[in-house]
Amino acid sequence: MKRDWVKIVLGIYTVFIIFIFYLPLILVAILSFKSDASITFPILGFSLYWYIGPPGLVGTSGFTSGIFYDPQIGQAIINSITLGVITAVIVVPLVICAALTLRYAFKGRDLIFYLLLAGFVMPAIIIGLGANIFYKTIGITEYSIWTVLPLHIVYTMPFGLILTMARFDPLMVEYENVARVLGASGWKVFTKITFPLIRTQVISTFFFAFTLSLSEFLRSSFVIAGVGTIPTYVYNQMSVTAPTPKWFALGTLSMAISLTLLFVVAYILTRGQRRII
Amino acid sequence: MTEERRSEAEKRESPLITFVRKNARYFLILPPLIVVILFLVVPSLMILLLSFNKGSVTRFDPTKISIDNFIAVFSRPSTYIILRDTLGMSVLAALVTLLVAYPVAYFLSFKIQNFQLQGIITFMLVAPYWVDWSIRSISWLSILGEKGLVNYVLMSLGLIKQPLSELLFTRWTLLIIWVQTNLLFMIFPIYLSLTLIDPDLINVARTLGASPFKAFTKITFRLSLPGVVIGIIFVFISTLGDYVTPALWAGGLQMLGLTVQNYAWHFNWPMAAAYSVLLLAVTLGVIWIVLRFANIKQVFYK
């Protein structure tokens, strides 16, 4: 039997790329258990200080503590997850609405399609700056995660739209018409025919929106105040003090939680032998 | 019978309701459209308007219109250096990301038949993005820093005596970080368009005597162009609009996004707006050029 050398070479290459993807994360995990306050090598000793250490003075980094003693981290995590979930919950129906309409040819379809993708095309700083100017003009000066929410919606919607539209079955409209001719109501057609056909895309849209919202910084930072989300909180903290393994502890914790979640989702999605996108 | 009843009911309706009912499926577009117009189109127009004001105004003042900002932007030699560096780095990042990403996407879609395994690899590629952006960003200090992993390993092996200080804070650092952070968004669209290719097309070409290389360049690569173009556009946009990574890692290299942020930081909103308009023009120009290479719409409209 002839060996598929292309497959072997590409397989090794892919494993290498995944390793590169994970290298920073592996380092983050290892360095989060350091006993001293620097985030560099060599590692002189291990401890759990950056997780459960009580507030105190450590080395030259000043007053610090483990992540469990920092109430603001808890707040930032709650803010980030709230924002991510609400963004995803709003983006999913918006994407379904848009995708279902854009299947039909009508006047102005191209223009609307491009407009809906604009959140993807606009450079981050323009969305942030624009929102800042927009809020100032209409008189909103109290920034919170709720002023960030619309930005995350317009930013994540195009990804969901692309995912959903690219996998549309051309026969979908036919199936729907058959159901309609046979007497199904509009709602019934949607719940029994349309939705099951796009279920995988809907789930992907939800998780894409959540993931993108979770790590979004460039747009949010223009219209957020206080503790904010995890990225804005960590970034603001790092710009006033030298980075310590505390942030790596936070990263490791979020990595552990999200990997668990992802495997659960991956299991659910691949159970039916479906493509995930 | 039912037909007659329906048409009678239609006659009694007001024309407005008839219009709404007949076009009901198009009205679904309104919610997403309104959100985009309100939070994207209107703010962008406000930036455009504000760029024609001067001084430290925070909202548009129609009595003080001038084009001084744009005269200032285009008369500075630094603007052209910024433009050159920004475009150069973005183009380089897009091309390098494409070269790195394409084999992975190809492997995923053509060489793995098992959907479960495909799913696991895809999720392994997505998972790192769930770790916070700013934490991933500082982790580069641990890798490329003076006391970072690379220097540590090289010195332990005795290959170098002094730590290499030029690993961090050069434009190459910026390039490495940009490629690593954008890779997923290049892999995904290419993978997507590769899975849409009918394998029979390639089989036919091979049967008719095309070499594997020729079959790849003439069929596979061409048909994956929409994915390639989407990926390139994504990398362009995310790098053109990035103002933090260049500030942290590029060692003083001035970029367009960074310039906008500097002016905003110093509350010179009209100047920030003027540079934003330039940035948007550059972005749209680049997208326009890239879109010449593929018909993106065919992927979406079926």
Side-chain angles (χ1 to χ4, degrees):
Chain A
M1 203 184 128
K2 201 171 152 249
R3 281 208 186 159
D4 190 348
W5 285 108
V6 178
K7 180 174 178 171
I8 294 165
V9 170
L10 286 179
I12 293 168
Y13 177 76
T14 304
V15 170
F16 173 71
I17 291 296
I18 291 176
F19 171 72
I20 297 288
F21 257 66
Y22 280 83
L23 180 67
L25 305 185
I26 295 166
L27 275 184
V28 162
I30 294 170
L31 293 173
S32 73
F33 294 103
K34 275 188 85 173
S35 51
D36 60 299
S38 77
I39 56 161
T40 48
F41 286 85
I43 300 167
L44 299 171
F46 291 98
S47 81
L48 285 174
Y49 178 80
W50 302 106
Y51 290 88
I52 52 170
L57 289 164
V58 177
T60 51
S61 64
F63 194 76
T64 184
S65 76
I67 49 172
F68 289 112
Y69 281 94
D70 188 337
Q72 290 193 307
I73 284 185
Q75 188 57 49
I77 291 173
I78 292 170
N79 282 350
S80 271
I81 291 176
T82 312
L83 186 62
V85 169
I86 295 177
T87 302
V89 165
I90 296 175
V91 161
V92 165
L94 289 178
V95 164
I96 294 175
C97 283
L100 291 183
T101 316
L102 289 171
R103 292 180 304 174
Y104 307 112
F106 59 89
K107 216 183 263 176
R109 173 165 81 158
D110 282 4
L111 179 68
I112 290 177
F113 181 59
Y114 290 135
L115 267 183
L116 294 181
L117 292 188
F120 164 84
V121 171
M122 283 282 185
I125 192 162
I126 295 184
I127 296 185
L129 184 70
N132 185 297
I133 294 170
F134 173 69
Y135 285 139
K136 267 193 221 132
T137 310
I138 62 171
I140 296 175
T141 48
E142 292 272 309
Y143 293 150
S144 64
I145 58 167
W146 306 112
T147 48
V148 176
L149 179 65
L151 305 196
H152 283 204
I153 292 171
V154 293
Y155 164 57
T156 56
M157 194 163 61
F159 293 87
L161 196 63
I162 289 173
L163 283 177
T164 309
M165 289 182 73
R167 271 261 180 254
F168 258 165
D169 189 336
L171 285 175
M172 204 156 123
V173 182
E174 301 295 320
Y175 297 146
E176 287 175 9
N177 286 339
V178 170
R180 213 168 280 127
V181 169
L182 292 173
S185 67
W187 179 247
K188 200 156 191 179
V189 172
F190 178 73
T191 53
K192 295 281 177 190
I193 309 285
T194 318
F195 189 76
L197 283 173
I198 58 169
R199 202 190 60 186
T200 333
Q201 287 92 316
V202 168
I203 297 171
S204 313
T205 302
F206 185 93
F207 281 99
F208 242 81
F210 180 72
T211 310
L212 288 169
S213 162
L214 212 57
S215 60
E216 156 50 34
F217 171 83
L218 296 172
R219 295 157 188 83
S220 321
S221 74
F222 275 89
V223 287
I224 200 150
V227 176
T229 59
I230 303 172
T232 59
Y233 176 68
V234 174
Y235 188 79
N236 290 338
Q237 288 296 304
M238 285 192 313
S239 55
V240 288
T241 55
T244 61
K246 179 181 175 182
W247 309 117
F248 287 180
L250 180 61
T252 311
L253 192 70
S254 69
M255 190 159 44
I257 295 170
S258 53
L259 274 179
T260 318
L261 254 173
L262 274 173
F263 273 112
V264 173
V265 174
Y267 176 73
I268 295 169
L269 279 177
T270 51
R271 207 176 35 181
Q273 292 271 318
R274 284 164 181 277
R275 283 180 189 277
I276 48 134
I277 291 187
Chain B
M1 182 66 191
T2 47
E3 276 298 307
E4 279 168 29
R5 207 181 288 156
R6 195 181 288 166
S7 61
E8 258 175 47
E10 266 172 29
K11 268 176 216 153
R12 267 183 272 126
E13 270 176 2
S14 78
L16 182 69
I17 292 177
T18 316
F19 174 77
V20 170
R21 196 173 49 76
K22 284 205 169 150
N23 294 293
R25 62 182 184 191
Y26 300 121
F27 282 89
L28 274 178
I29 199 75
L30 286 178
L33 195 59
I34 289 169
V35 170
V36 166
I37 288 176
L38 197 56
F39 291 103
L40 212 64
V41 178
V42 171
S44 311
L45 290 177
M46 284 177 174
I47 290 185
L48 187 63
L49 286 176
L50 199 61
S51 67
F52 289 101
N53 269 175
K54 269 199 84 168
S56 57
V57 289
T58 53
R59 63 171 81 179
F60 180 60
D61 184 351
T63 58
K64 291 177 188 157
I65 291 178
S66 79
I67 54 162
D68 289 4
N69 291 326
F70 289 100
I71 293 173
V73 166
F74 288 108
S75 61
R76 285 178 194 164
S78 66
T79 303
Y80 300 97
I81 297 169
I82 292 171
L83 266 178
R84 187 198 65 199
D85 285 345
T86 310
L87 275 172
M89 287 305 290
S90 287
V91 170
L92 205 57
L95 291 180
V96 173
T97 313
L98 174 64
L99 284 179
V100 176
Y102 203 98
V104 178
Y106 186 87
F107 177 72
L108 266 182
S109 52
F110 282 121
K111 297 295 174 186
I112 297 189
Q113 265 74 40
N114 182 339
F115 284 156
Q116 234 133 10
L117 190 58
Q118 249 181 20
I120 289 168
I121 296 178
T122 321
F123 272 112
M124 284 195 75
L125 291 172
V126 175
Y129 288 83
W130 283 42
V131 174
D132 187 65
W133 176 87
S134 44
I135 294 168
R136 270 189 284 140
S137 185
I138 48 167
S139 72
W140 289 102
L141 211 55
S142 311
I143 299 172
L144 301 172
E146 201 180 318
K147 290 176 178 171
L149 182 71
V150 174
N151 273 325
Y152 183 69
V153 168
L154 289 178
M155 279 171 74
S156 309
L157 294 173
L159 292 173
I160 51 169
K161 292 256 179 329
Q162 294 288 315
L164 303 167
S165 56
E166 61 268 24
L167 282 174
L168 265 186
F169 311 123
T170 68
R171 57 183 69 202
W172 308 117
T173 323
L174 180 65
L175 186 68
I176 293 172
I177 297 176
W178 269 352
V179 170
Q180 206 259 3
T181 46
N182 287 311
L183 202 52
L184 181 71
F185 299 98
M186 183 67 94
I187 294 175
F188 260 153
I190 298 175
Y191 162 72
L192 199 69
S193 53
L194 284 175
T195 55
L196 293 174
I197 296 175
D198 184 355
D200 283 345
L201 286 175
I202 300 156
N203 292 339
V204 167
R206 297 279 287 120
T207 315
L208 293 174
S211 67
F213 180 72
K214 197 159 188 182
F216 173 78
T217 50
K218 293 279 176 191
I219 295 174
T220 317
F221 185 71
R222 283 204 188 169
L223 288 174
S224 70
L225 271 178
V228 170
V229 165
I230 293 176
I232 285 182
I233 290 178
F234 182 87
V235 179
F236 265 133
I237 289 152
S238 82
T239 53
L240 283 173
D242 189 354
Y243 56 89
V244 170
T245 321
L248 285 179
W249 304 119
L253 192 67
Q254 266 302 318
M255 303 286 239
L256 212 41
L258 205 55
T259 314
V260 175
Q261 197 242 6
N262 275 337
Y263 279 108
W265 196 253
H266 294 103
F267 303 107
N268 191 343
W269 301 102
M271 260 324 245
Y275 272 105
S276 298
V277 172
L278 180 62
L279 175 59
L280 190 59
V282 168
T283 311
L284 292 178
V286 167
I287 292 171
W288 185 81
I289 294 169
V290 177
L291 280 179
R292 300 297 99 195
F293 290 96
N295 181 8
I296 297 284
K297 275 190 294 180
Q298 76 186 22
V299 182
F300 302 110
Y301 297 170
K302 294 193 189 97

